[in-house]
Amino acid sequence: MDKITLSKMCFEGHTGCLDFEKKDGQNFYVSLELFVDRIKGCYSDELSDTVDYSQIYEVTKEVVTSDSGNLIEHLAQRIADAVLKADGSIEKVIVNVSKPDAPIDGVFETMEVTIERSRKEFVILSLGSNLGDREDNISKAEEALRNLPGIEDFRVASIYETEPVGLEEQPYFLNTCVGFYTDIDPFELLDKIHVIESNLLRTREIHWGPRTIDIDIIFYGDKVIMKPELTVPHPRWNLRSFVTVPLRELKDVGQEHPDDKEVSLYRERR
């Protein structure tokens, strides 16, 4: 990716935990690294084919000068959100907020925080359970996913009862899909999913065997990932009614669906 840097922009702000910081204000220095997938202006030499630096400056200024929160960490997050919203060509932003006059006894040049945020993608996961309290397992998995930092606009589909696939001699499954926006890296998200599954006593002793919870990444935006540990879109997703049926409630994927008759609707608390 190409990178544009806006360094040491100085604004007066009122972010701080102490009353006099909110009342009197102080200078904050903000630096931005903006990542763009090949800046068209490099070839066209047209102003419209690059990031509008003036717009990004004004957006950052508005956030800093209007903020009256406690933490520069939160201020940095607000800046990242505003910058990504302001220009759709920016795929990732690194925000550094520096507070040289922080009210701390001691000798220091500045106190600062740096965060890195990417544009949020819409992610769809498939959830299934056929051991123990199936509904409770799904509910707990949904709650754990919903509470992950970096998750927004969390959506749930209806719950469906389905026959097992692959290994037929096992209990019926309850299945659903959830969707949300996030900037969590796909592989980091996979690690977090494995932790949730482990906390819900998921074991992997039998391929396609019974499980308390199974969470699969079906889509991560329009990304295509083919790694031993993760394949996205999920293989054969469009051949599984326990995915395609609840998926329709979250996103129009524009694909042919199997015969819905093999899936019986199971709507409780939905």
Side-chain angles (χ1 to χ4, degrees):
M1 284 192 182
D2 297 337
K3 182 175 74 171
I4 297 170
T5 303
L6 285 67
S7 296
K8 301 297 182 183
M9 297 176 285
C10 182
F11 309 107
E12 182 177 342
H14 298 265
T15 303
C17 294
L18 303 178
D19 290 341
F20 77 88
E21 294 181 283
K22 298 184 185 300
K23 178 182 177 182
D24 300 334
Q26 59 188 290
N27 286 335
F28 292 83
Y29 291 85
V30 179
S31 295
L32 303 176
E33 294 179 62
L34 313 174
F35 294 84
V36 179
D37 186 13
R38 286 192 176 269
I39 302 170
K40 293 181 181 179
C42 294
Y43 308 97
S44 69
D45 197 29
E46 295 291 337
L47 183 61
S48 59
D49 287 337
T50 189
V51 173
D52 185 339
Y53 313 143
S54 175
Q55 178 193 28
I56 299 301
Y57 179 93
E58 291 299 327
V59 164
T60 306
K61 178 181 178 181
E62 171 63 23
V63 173
V64 176
T65 57
S66 65
D67 188 77
S68 58
N70 297 322
L71 305 177
I72 58 174
E73 290 86 346
H74 184 256
L75 176 60
Q77 180 65 57
R78 288 193 60 210
I79 294 170
D81 290 341
V83 168
L84 290 171
K85 182 178 180 181
D87 192 319
S89 69
I90 301 172
E91 295 294 329
K92 181 175 72 174
V93 59
I94 298 178
V95 181
N96 176 275
V97 178
S98 178
K99 187 177 181 180
D101 297 322
I104 298 174
D105 292 333
V107 179
F108 61 92
E109 180 179 338
T110 187
M111 298 294 175
E112 62 184 22
V113 63
T114 301
I115 66 171
E116 178 179 323
R117 297 292 184 265
S118 299
R119 184 165 298 284
K120 294 184 184 296
E121 301 277 7
F122 190 65
V123 177
I124 293 179
L125 309 181
S126 173
L127 282 66
S129 174
N130 74 335
L131 284 181
D133 189 331
R134 300 175 300 169
E135 289 183 66
D136 188 57
N137 292 336
I138 288 177
S139 178
K140 287 178 177 177
E142 289 176 343
E143 189 65 18
L145 289 165
R146 188 192 301 270
N147 290 331
L148 290 176
I151 299 294
E152 294 182 358
D153 193 14
F154 193 87
R155 311 173 189 180
V156 298
S158 301
I159 294 177
Y160 295 82
E161 187 165 38
T162 66
E163 295 181 5
V165 174
L167 182 63
E168 296 182 359
E169 297 300 320
Q170 58 177 315
Y172 274 40
F173 278 83
L174 291 188
N175 290 99
T176 190
C177 285
V178 301
F180 50 82
Y181 286 92
T182 188
D183 58 359
I184 301 175
D185 175 82
F187 295 93
E188 181 184 353
L189 178 61
L190 182 64
D191 289 341
K192 293 179 183 298
I193 285 172
H194 287 163
V195 170
I196 293 171
E197 290 178 327
S198 178
N199 290 340
L200 291 173
L201 305 181
R202 163 73 190 271
T203 61
R204 302 176 186 273
E205 299 171 358
I206 304 174
H207 185 51
W208 284 335
R211 64 216 78 167
T212 55
I213 194 69
D214 183 34
I215 306 174
D216 290 321
I217 301 175
I218 306 301
F219 295 109
Y220 191 104
D222 59 1
K223 291 184 183 297
V224 176
I225 302 171
M226 299 186 68
K227 296 290 185 180
E229 64 273 32
L230 178 62
T231 301
V232 174
H234 194 278
R236 300 179 300 279
W237 69 269
N238 58 319
L239 302 178
R240 306 302 194 203
S241 292
F242 60 80
V243 174
T244 61
V245 175
L247 179 61
R248 291 177 179 181
E249 301 177 29
L250 302 177
K251 182 181 181 181
D252 180 9
V253 294
Q255 296 282 346
E256 292 296 326
H257 299 280
D259 187 355
D260 294 350
K261 293 180 181 178
E262 63 186 89
V263 181
S264 56
L265 190 60
Y266 190 95
R267 297 179 186 269
E268 290 207 6
R269 303 197 305 274
R270 281 285 202 255

